[in-house]
PDB file of all heavy atoms in Angstrom:
ATOM      1  N   PRO A 547     157.583 -39.232 -96.511  1.00  0.00           N
ATOM      2  CA  PRO A 547     156.898 -40.543 -96.134  1.00  0.00           C
ATOM      3  C   PRO A 547     155.957 -40.281 -94.867  1.00  0.00           C
ATOM      4  O   PRO A 547     156.338 -39.446 -93.961  1.00  0.00           O
ATOM      5  CB  PRO A 547     157.977 -41.520 -95.760  1.00  0.00           C
ATOM      6  CG  PRO A 547     159.145 -40.665 -95.328  1.00  0.00           C
ATOM      7  CD  PRO A 547     159.019 -39.388 -96.093  1.00  0.00           C
ATOM      8  N   HIS A 548     154.869 -41.001 -94.815  1.00  0.00           N
ATOM      9  CA  HIS A 548     153.905 -40.832 -93.705  1.00  0.00           C
ATOM     10  C   HIS A 548     153.822 -42.356 -93.129  1.00  0.00           C
ATOM     11  O   HIS A 548     153.537 -43.189 -93.905  1.00  0.00           O
ATOM     12  CB  HIS A 548     152.552 -40.396 -94.195  1.00  0.00           C
ATOM     13  CG  HIS A 548     151.590 -40.300 -93.048  1.00  0.00           C
ATOM     14  ND1 HIS A 548     150.793 -41.362 -92.604  1.00  0.00           N
ATOM     15  CD2 HIS A 548     151.293 -39.261 -92.189  1.00  0.00           C
ATOM     16  CE1 HIS A 548     150.033 -40.967 -91.570  1.00  0.00           C
ATOM     17  NE2 HIS A 548     150.288 -39.673 -91.368  1.00  0.00           N
ATOM     18  N   TYR A 549     154.067 -42.412 -91.843  1.00  0.00           N
ATOM     19  CA  TYR A 549     154.005 -43.667 -91.220  1.00  0.00           C
ATOM     20  C   TYR A 549     152.864 -43.763 -90.098  1.00  0.00           C
ATOM     21  O   TYR A 549     152.489 -42.805 -89.555  1.00  0.00           O
ATOM     22  CB  TYR A 549     155.266 -43.976 -90.414  1.00  0.00           C
ATOM     23  CG  TYR A 549     156.618 -44.094 -91.263  1.00  0.00           C
ATOM     24  CD1 TYR A 549     157.349 -42.954 -91.540  1.00  0.00           C
ATOM     25  CD2 TYR A 549     156.943 -45.273 -91.806  1.00  0.00           C
ATOM     26  CE1 TYR A 549     158.531 -43.044 -92.486  1.00  0.00           C
ATOM     27  CE2 TYR A 549     158.031 -45.375 -92.606  1.00  0.00           C
ATOM     28  CZ  TYR A 549     158.781 -44.258 -92.913  1.00  0.00           C
ATOM     29  OH  TYR A 549     159.958 -44.424 -93.675  1.00  0.00           O
ATOM     30  N   THR A 550     152.449 -45.092 -90.026  1.00  0.00           N
ATOM     31  CA  THR A 550     151.422 -45.329 -88.905  1.00  0.00           C
ATOM     32  C   THR A 550     152.310 -45.983 -87.850  1.00  0.00           C
ATOM     33  O   THR A 550     152.977 -47.000 -88.121  1.00  0.00           O
ATOM     34  CB  THR A 550     150.310 -46.248 -89.351  1.00  0.00           C
ATOM     35  OG1 THR A 550     149.560 -45.540 -90.334  1.00  0.00           O
ATOM     36  CG2 THR A 550     149.361 -46.662 -88.233  1.00  0.00           C
ATOM     37  N   ARG A 551     152.130 -45.527 -86.685  1.00  0.00           N
ATOM     38  CA  ARG A 551     152.897 -46.099 -85.435  1.00  0.00           C
ATOM     39  C   ARG A 551     151.912 -46.548 -84.394  1.00  0.00           C
ATOM     40  O   ARG A 551     150.852 -45.871 -84.136  1.00  0.00           O
ATOM     41  CB  ARG A 551     153.931 -45.099 -84.847  1.00  0.00           C
ATOM     42  CG  ARG A 551     154.814 -44.469 -85.905  1.00  0.00           C
ATOM     43  CD  ARG A 551     155.604 -43.339 -85.348  1.00  0.00           C
ATOM     44  NE  ARG A 551     156.433 -42.628 -86.305  1.00  0.00           N
ATOM     45  CZ  ARG A 551     157.693 -42.864 -86.548  1.00  0.00           C
ATOM     46  NH1 ARG A 551     158.295 -43.751 -85.743  1.00  0.00           N
ATOM     47  NH2 ARG A 551     158.304 -42.122 -87.395  1.00  0.00           N
ATOM     48  N   TRP A 552     152.156 -47.593 -83.728  1.00  0.00           N
ATOM     49  CA  TRP A 552     151.416 -48.073 -82.566  1.00  0.00           C
ATOM     50  C   TRP A 552     152.201 -49.058 -81.784  1.00  0.00           C
ATOM     51  O   TRP A 552     153.137 -49.638 -82.185  1.00  0.00           O
ATOM     52  CB  TRP A 552     150.064 -48.777 -83.089  1.00  0.00           C
ATOM     53  CG  TRP A 552     150.197 -50.060 -83.609  1.00  0.00           C
ATOM     54  CD1 TRP A 552     150.169 -51.276 -83.017  1.00  0.00           C
ATOM     55  CD2 TRP A 552     150.460 -50.284 -85.109  1.00  0.00           C
ATOM     56  NE1 TRP A 552     150.322 -52.348 -83.913  1.00  0.00           N
ATOM     57  CE2 TRP A 552     150.495 -51.886 -85.188  1.00  0.00           C
ATOM     58  CE3 TRP A 552     150.533 -49.574 -86.139  1.00  0.00           C
ATOM     59  CZ2 TRP A 552     150.703 -52.458 -86.354  1.00  0.00           C
ATOM     60  CZ3 TRP A 552     150.921 -50.303 -87.398  1.00  0.00           C
ATOM     61  CH2 TRP A 552     150.968 -51.600 -87.482  1.00  0.00           C
ATOM     62  N   ASN A 553     151.783 -49.138 -80.510  1.00  0.00           N
ATOM     63  CA  ASN A 553     152.383 -50.119 -79.611  1.00  0.00           C
ATOM     64  C   ASN A 553     151.459 -51.253 -79.210  1.00  0.00           C
ATOM     65  O   ASN A 553     150.165 -51.051 -79.069  1.00  0.00           O
ATOM     66  CB  ASN A 553     152.855 -49.462 -78.329  1.00  0.00           C
ATOM     67  CG  ASN A 553     154.121 -48.593 -78.509  1.00  0.00           C
ATOM     68  OD1 ASN A 553     154.657 -48.612 -79.533  1.00  0.00           O
ATOM     69  ND2 ASN A 553     154.405 -47.881 -77.516  1.00  0.00           N
ATOM     70  N   SER A 554     151.908 -52.411 -79.021  1.00  0.00           N
ATOM     71  CA  SER A 554     151.046 -53.579 -78.648  1.00  0.00           C
ATOM     72  C   SER A 554     151.787 -54.160 -77.375  1.00  0.00           C
ATOM     73  O   SER A 554     153.004 -54.330 -77.438  1.00  0.00           O
ATOM     74  CB  SER A 554     150.905 -54.633 -79.762  1.00  0.00           C
ATOM     75  OG  SER A 554     150.211 -54.084 -80.850  1.00  0.00           O
ATOM     76  N   PRO A 555     150.999 -54.557 -76.463  1.00  0.00           N
ATOM     77  CA  PRO A 555     151.622 -55.271 -75.221  1.00  0.00           C
ATOM     78  C   PRO A 555     152.308 -56.551 -75.643  1.00  0.00           C
ATOM     79  O   PRO A 555     151.920 -57.260 -76.596  1.00  0.00           O
ATOM     80  CB  PRO A 555     150.485 -55.585 -74.312  1.00  0.00           C
ATOM     81  CG  PRO A 555     149.328 -54.551 -74.733  1.00  0.00           C
ATOM     82  CD  PRO A 555     149.578 -54.364 -76.151  1.00  0.00           C
ATOM     83  N   PHE A 556     153.439 -56.799 -75.079  1.00  0.00           N
ATOM     84  CA  PHE A 556     154.167 -58.042 -75.284  1.00  0.00           C
ATOM     85  C   PHE A 556     153.293 -59.298 -75.062  1.00  0.00           C
ATOM     86  O   PHE A 556     152.642 -59.378 -74.004  1.00  0.00           O
ATOM     87  CB  PHE A 556     155.355 -58.013 -74.398  1.00  0.00           C
ATOM     88  CG  PHE A 556     156.299 -59.339 -74.604  1.00  0.00           C
ATOM     89  CD1 PHE A 556     157.251 -59.351 -75.538  1.00  0.00           C
ATOM     90  CD2 PHE A 556     156.093 -60.451 -73.848  1.00  0.00           C
ATOM     91  CE1 PHE A 556     158.040 -60.423 -75.703  1.00  0.00           C
ATOM     92  CE2 PHE A 556     156.860 -61.546 -74.042  1.00  0.00           C
ATOM     93  CZ  PHE A 556     157.845 -61.606 -75.007  1.00  0.00           C
ATOM     94  N   GLU A 557     153.169 -60.056 -76.060  1.00  0.00           N
ATOM     95  CA  GLU A 557     152.189 -61.160 -75.958  1.00  0.00           C
ATOM     96  C   GLU A 557     153.014 -62.445 -75.474  1.00  0.00           C
ATOM     97  O   GLU A 557     153.877 -62.973 -76.220  1.00  0.00           O
ATOM     98  CB  GLU A 557     151.559 -61.454 -77.229  1.00  0.00           C
ATOM     99  CG  GLU A 557     150.379 -62.371 -77.190  1.00  0.00           C
ATOM    100  CD  GLU A 557     149.643 -62.382 -78.435  1.00  0.00           C
ATOM    101  OE1 GLU A 557     149.655 -61.356 -79.223  1.00  0.00           O
ATOM    102  OE2 GLU A 557     149.029 -63.495 -78.765  1.00  0.00           O
ATOM    103  N   LYS A 558     152.654 -62.914 -74.219  1.00  0.00           N
ATOM    104  CA  LYS A 558     153.352 -64.124 -73.669  1.00  0.00           C
ATOM    105  C   LYS A 558     152.408 -65.236 -73.369  1.00  0.00           C
ATOM    106  O   LYS A 558     152.913 -66.241 -72.839  1.00  0.00           O
ATOM    107  CB  LYS A 558     154.047 -63.664 -72.363  1.00  0.00           C
ATOM    108  CG  LYS A 558     153.169 -63.266 -71.199  1.00  0.00           C
ATOM    109  CD  LYS A 558     153.957 -63.000 -69.891  1.00  0.00           C
ATOM    110  CE  LYS A 558     153.003 -62.781 -68.829  1.00  0.00           C
ATOM    111  NZ  LYS A 558     151.647 -62.155 -69.023  1.00  0.00           N
ATOM    112  N   GLY A 559     151.036 -65.050 -73.531  1.00  0.00           N
ATOM    113  CA  GLY A 559     150.153 -66.029 -73.120  1.00  0.00           C
ATOM    114  C   GLY A 559     149.734 -65.762 -71.564  1.00  0.00           C
ATOM    115  O   GLY A 559     150.011 -64.736 -71.105  1.00  0.00           O
ATOM    116  N   PRO A 560     149.009 -66.768 -71.046  1.00  0.00           N
ATOM    117  CA  PRO A 560     148.400 -66.563 -69.755  1.00  0.00           C
ATOM    118  C   PRO A 560     149.465 -66.491 -68.718  1.00  0.00           C
ATOM    119  O   PRO A 560     150.609 -66.951 -68.774  1.00  0.00           O
ATOM    120  CB  PRO A 560     147.539 -67.740 -69.558  1.00  0.00           C
ATOM    121  CG  PRO A 560     147.282 -68.324 -70.869  1.00  0.00           C
ATOM    122  CD  PRO A 560     148.543 -67.932 -71.690  1.00  0.00           C
ATOM    123  N   ASP A 561     149.157 -65.642 -67.507  1.00  0.00           N
ATOM    124  CA  ASP A 561     150.103 -65.518 -66.397  1.00  0.00           C
ATOM    125  C   ASP A 561     150.131 -66.894 -65.612  1.00  0.00           C
ATOM    126  O   ASP A 561     151.091 -67.264 -65.017  1.00  0.00           O
ATOM    127  CB  ASP A 561     149.585 -64.418 -65.473  1.00  0.00           C
ATOM    128  CG  ASP A 561     150.011 -63.092 -66.056  1.00  0.00           C
ATOM    129  OD1 ASP A 561     150.865 -63.014 -66.919  1.00  0.00           O
ATOM    130  OD2 ASP A 561     149.262 -62.138 -65.725  1.00  0.00           O
ATOM    131  N   VAL A 562     149.002 -67.567 -65.704  1.00  0.00           N
ATOM    132  CA  VAL A 562     148.767 -68.838 -64.865  1.00  0.00           C
ATOM    133  C   VAL A 562     148.260 -69.881 -65.750  1.00  0.00           C
ATOM    134  O   VAL A 562     147.262 -69.707 -66.491  1.00  0.00           O
ATOM    135  CB  VAL A 562     147.741 -68.638 -63.746  1.00  0.00           C
ATOM    136  CG1 VAL A 562     147.635 -69.890 -62.949  1.00  0.00           C
ATOM    137  CG2 VAL A 562     148.239 -67.534 -62.792  1.00  0.00           C
ATOM    138  N   MET A 563     148.780 -71.084 -65.758  1.00  0.00           N
ATOM    139  CA  MET A 563     148.371 -72.346 -66.472  1.00  0.00           C
ATOM    140  C   MET A 563     148.504 -73.492 -65.587  1.00  0.00           C
ATOM    141  O   MET A 563     149.519 -73.739 -64.916  1.00  0.00           O
ATOM    142  CB  MET A 563     149.228 -72.502 -67.720  1.00  0.00           C
ATOM    143  CG  MET A 563     149.143 -71.344 -68.758  1.00  0.00           C
ATOM    144  SD  MET A 563     150.447 -71.475 -69.970  1.00  0.00           S
ATOM    145  CE  MET A 563     151.812 -70.986 -69.125  1.00  0.00           C
ATOM    146  N   THR A 564     147.425 -74.287 -65.478  1.00  0.00           N
ATOM    147  CA  THR A 564     147.505 -75.524 -64.604  1.00  0.00           C
ATOM    148  C   THR A 564     146.830 -76.690 -65.324  1.00  0.00           C
ATOM    149  O   THR A 564     145.935 -76.514 -66.210  1.00  0.00           O
ATOM    150  CB  THR A 564     146.747 -75.343 -63.275  1.00  0.00           C
ATOM    151  OG1 THR A 564     145.359 -75.014 -63.637  1.00  0.00           O
ATOM    152  CG2 THR A 564     147.309 -74.191 -62.462  1.00  0.00           C
ATOM    153  N   ARG A 565     147.388 -77.920 -65.068  1.00  0.00           N
ATOM    154  CA  ARG A 565     146.772 -79.161 -65.568  1.00  0.00           C
ATOM    155  C   ARG A 565     146.722 -80.071 -64.456  1.00  0.00           C
ATOM    156  O   ARG A 565     147.582 -80.201 -63.647  1.00  0.00           O
ATOM    157  CB  ARG A 565     147.791 -79.687 -66.726  1.00  0.00           C
ATOM    158  CG  ARG A 565     148.223 -78.696 -67.702  1.00  0.00           C
ATOM    159  CD  ARG A 565     147.086 -78.379 -68.706  1.00  0.00           C
ATOM    160  NE  ARG A 565     147.595 -77.408 -69.713  1.00  0.00           N
ATOM    161  CZ  ARG A 565     147.223 -76.152 -69.757  1.00  0.00           C
ATOM    162  NH1 ARG A 565     146.486 -75.574 -68.740  1.00  0.00           N
ATOM    163  NH2 ARG A 565     147.640 -75.272 -70.718  1.00  0.00           N
ATOM    164  N   LEU A 566     145.555 -80.840 -64.535  1.00  0.00           N
ATOM    165  CA  LEU A 566     145.382 -81.993 -63.568  1.00  0.00           C
ATOM    166  C   LEU A 566     144.816 -83.190 -64.268  1.00  0.00           C
ATOM    167  O   LEU A 566     143.855 -83.104 -65.108  1.00  0.00           O
ATOM    168  CB  LEU A 566     144.371 -81.519 -62.556  1.00  0.00           C
ATOM    169  CG  LEU A 566     143.914 -82.679 -61.554  1.00  0.00           C
ATOM    170  CD1 LEU A 566     145.034 -83.090 -60.666  1.00  0.00           C
ATOM    171  CD2 LEU A 566     142.728 -82.130 -60.678  1.00  0.00           C
ATOM    172  N   GLY A 567     145.460 -84.319 -64.159  1.00  0.00           N
ATOM    173  CA  GLY A 567     145.097 -85.623 -64.840  1.00  0.00           C
ATOM    174  C   GLY A 567     144.924 -86.678 -63.925  1.00  0.00           C
ATOM    175  O   GLY A 567     145.640 -86.825 -62.922  1.00  0.00           O
ATOM    176  N   ILE A 568     143.915 -87.494 -64.112  1.00  0.00           N
ATOM    177  CA  ILE A 568     143.695 -88.734 -63.310  1.00  0.00           C
ATOM    178  C   ILE A 568     143.366 -89.876 -64.296  1.00  0.00           C
ATOM    179  O   ILE A 568     142.750 -89.779 -65.243  1.00  0.00           O
ATOM    180  CB  ILE A 568     142.399 -88.623 -62.497  1.00  0.00           C
ATOM    181  CG1 ILE A 568     142.642 -87.374 -61.444  1.00  0.00           C
ATOM    182  CG2 ILE A 568     142.045 -89.837 -61.735  1.00  0.00           C
ATOM    183  CD1 ILE A 568     141.415 -87.039 -60.625  1.00  0.00           C
ATOM    184  N   THR A 569     144.017 -91.033 -64.053  1.00  0.00           N
ATOM    185  CA  THR A 569     143.843 -92.213 -64.822  1.00  0.00           C
ATOM    186  C   THR A 569     143.482 -93.432 -63.816  1.00  0.00           C
ATOM    187  O   THR A 569     144.095 -93.584 -62.831  1.00  0.00           O
ATOM    188  CB  THR A 569     145.104 -92.569 -65.533  1.00  0.00           C
ATOM    189  OG1 THR A 569     145.441 -91.642 -66.491  1.00  0.00           O
ATOM    190  CG2 THR A 569     144.903 -93.962 -66.346  1.00  0.00           C
ATOM    191  N   ILE A 570     142.380 -94.023 -64.144  1.00  0.00           N
ATOM    192  CA  ILE A 570     141.877 -95.085 -63.364  1.00  0.00           C
ATOM    193  C   ILE A 570     141.935 -96.394 -64.243  1.00  0.00           C
ATOM    194  O   ILE A 570     141.535 -96.364 -65.408  1.00  0.00           O
ATOM    195  CB  ILE A 570     140.371 -94.872 -62.964  1.00  0.00           C
ATOM    196  CG1 ILE A 570     140.376 -93.692 -62.120  1.00  0.00           C
ATOM    197  CG2 ILE A 570     139.887 -96.141 -62.209  1.00  0.00           C
ATOM    198  CD1 ILE A 570     138.886 -93.295 -61.716  1.00  0.00           C
ATOM    199  N   VAL A 571     142.426 -97.482 -63.725  1.00  0.00           N
ATOM    200  CA  VAL A 571     142.516 -98.746 -64.388  1.00  0.00           C
ATOM    201  C   VAL A 571     141.589 -99.779 -63.733  1.00  0.00           C
ATOM    202  O   VAL A 571     142.000-100.535 -62.767  1.00  0.00           O
ATOM    203  CB  VAL A 571     144.000 -99.257 -64.475  1.00  0.00           C
ATOM    204  CG1 VAL A 571     144.085-100.571 -65.382  1.00  0.00           C
ATOM    205  CG2 VAL A 571     144.868 -98.244 -64.914  1.00  0.00           C
ATOM    206  N   PRO A 572     140.310 -99.829 -64.102  1.00  0.00           N
ATOM    207  CA  PRO A 572     139.392-100.712 -63.377  1.00  0.00           C
ATOM    208  C   PRO A 572     139.685-102.211 -63.739  1.00  0.00           C
ATOM    209  O   PRO A 572     139.329-103.042 -62.871  1.00  0.00           O
ATOM    210  CB  PRO A 572     137.974-100.311 -64.025  1.00  0.00           C
ATOM    211  CG  PRO A 572     138.258 -99.664 -65.324  1.00  0.00           C
ATOM    212  CD  PRO A 572     139.685 -99.072 -65.159  1.00  0.00           C
ATOM    213  N   LYS A 573     140.282-102.477 -64.802  1.00  0.00           N
ATOM    214  CA  LYS A 573     140.658-103.942 -65.042  1.00  0.00           C
ATOM    215  C   LYS A 573     141.764-103.899 -66.095  1.00  0.00           C
ATOM    216  O   LYS A 573     142.009-102.894 -66.744  1.00  0.00           O
ATOM    217  CB  LYS A 573     139.513-104.657 -65.604  1.00  0.00           C
ATOM    218  CG  LYS A 573     138.901-104.090 -66.924  1.00  0.00           C
ATOM    219  CD  LYS A 573     137.664-104.912 -67.407  1.00  0.00           C
ATOM    220  CE  LYS A 573     138.189-106.331 -67.900  1.00  0.00           C
ATOM    221  NZ  LYS A 573     137.112-107.009 -68.526  1.00  0.00           N
ATOM    222  N   ASP A 574     142.345-104.956 -66.235  1.00  0.00           N
ATOM    223  CA  ASP A 574     143.613-105.056 -67.218  1.00  0.00           C
ATOM    224  C   ASP A 574     143.047-104.727 -68.610  1.00  0.00           C
ATOM    225  O   ASP A 574     141.996-105.291 -69.080  1.00  0.00           O
ATOM    226  CB  ASP A 574     144.085-106.505 -67.181  1.00  0.00           C
ATOM    227  CG  ASP A 574     144.910-106.763 -65.899  1.00  0.00           C
ATOM    228  OD1 ASP A 574     145.314-105.790 -65.224  1.00  0.00           O
ATOM    229  OD2 ASP A 574     145.139-107.918 -65.586  1.00  0.00           O
ATOM    230  N   GLY A 575     143.788-103.969 -69.295  1.00  0.00           N
ATOM    231  CA  GLY A 575     143.502-103.530 -70.668  1.00  0.00           C
ATOM    232  C   GLY A 575     142.451-102.451 -70.717  1.00  0.00           C
ATOM    233  O   GLY A 575     142.145-102.013 -71.883  1.00  0.00           O
ATOM    234  N   VAL A 576     141.973-101.782 -69.612  1.00  0.00           N
ATOM    235  CA  VAL A 576     141.065-100.716 -69.689  1.00  0.00           C
ATOM    236  C   VAL A 576     141.580 -99.583 -68.781  1.00  0.00           C
ATOM    237  O   VAL A 576     141.990 -99.681 -67.677  1.00  0.00           O
ATOM    238  CB  VAL A 576     139.621-101.137 -69.161  1.00  0.00           C
ATOM    239  CG1 VAL A 576     138.680 -99.977 -69.247  1.00  0.00           C
ATOM    240  CG2 VAL A 576     139.118-102.284 -70.052  1.00  0.00           C
ATOM    241  N   GLU A 577     141.597 -98.329 -69.503  1.00  0.00           N
ATOM    242  CA  GLU A 577     142.125 -97.115 -68.742  1.00  0.00           C
ATOM    243  C   GLU A 577     141.156 -95.941 -69.020  1.00  0.00           C
ATOM    244  O   GLU A 577     140.753 -95.691 -70.166  1.00  0.00           O
ATOM    245  CB  GLU A 577     143.441 -96.790 -69.285  1.00  0.00           C
ATOM    246  CG  GLU A 577     144.595 -97.696 -69.014  1.00  0.00           C
ATOM    247  CD  GLU A 577     145.928 -97.404 -69.633  1.00  0.00           C
ATOM    248  OE1 GLU A 577     145.933 -97.257 -70.846  1.00  0.00           O
ATOM    249  OE2 GLU A 577     146.925 -97.300 -68.821  1.00  0.00           O
ATOM    250  N   LEU A 578     140.765 -95.303 -67.930  1.00  0.00           N
ATOM    251  CA  LEU A 578     139.821 -94.166 -68.089  1.00  0.00           C
ATOM    252  C   LEU A 578     140.619 -92.909 -67.576  1.00  0.00           C
ATOM    253  O   LEU A 578     141.000 -92.914 -66.384  1.00  0.00           O
ATOM    254  CB  LEU A 578     138.623 -94.446 -67.275  1.00  0.00           C
ATOM    255  CG  LEU A 578     137.528 -93.199 -67.153  1.00  0.00           C
ATOM    256  CD1 LEU A 578     137.001 -92.983 -68.620  1.00  0.00           C
ATOM    257  CD2 LEU A 578     136.383 -93.535 -66.177  1.00  0.00           C
TER     258      LEU A 578
END
């Protein structure tokens, strides 16, 4: 048998992830 072998770096996604959210309620019933 003949095999193909290779290595791939362990895939974990980004090292850094950030989220920032802001909600403003200018009047009742309205959200931005």
Side-chain angles (χ1 to χ4, degrees):
H548 181 272
Y549 295 93
T550 297
R551 305 170 188 263
W552 72 93
N553 287 355
S554 295
F556 179 87
E557 194 169 330
K558 70 177 188 326
D561 290 335
V562 179
M563 299 168 284
T564 61
R565 310 286 181 257
L566 172 65
I568 297 174
T569 298
I570 299 173
V571 186
K573 60 178 293 186
D574 289 343
V576 178
E577 296 174 305
L578 178 63

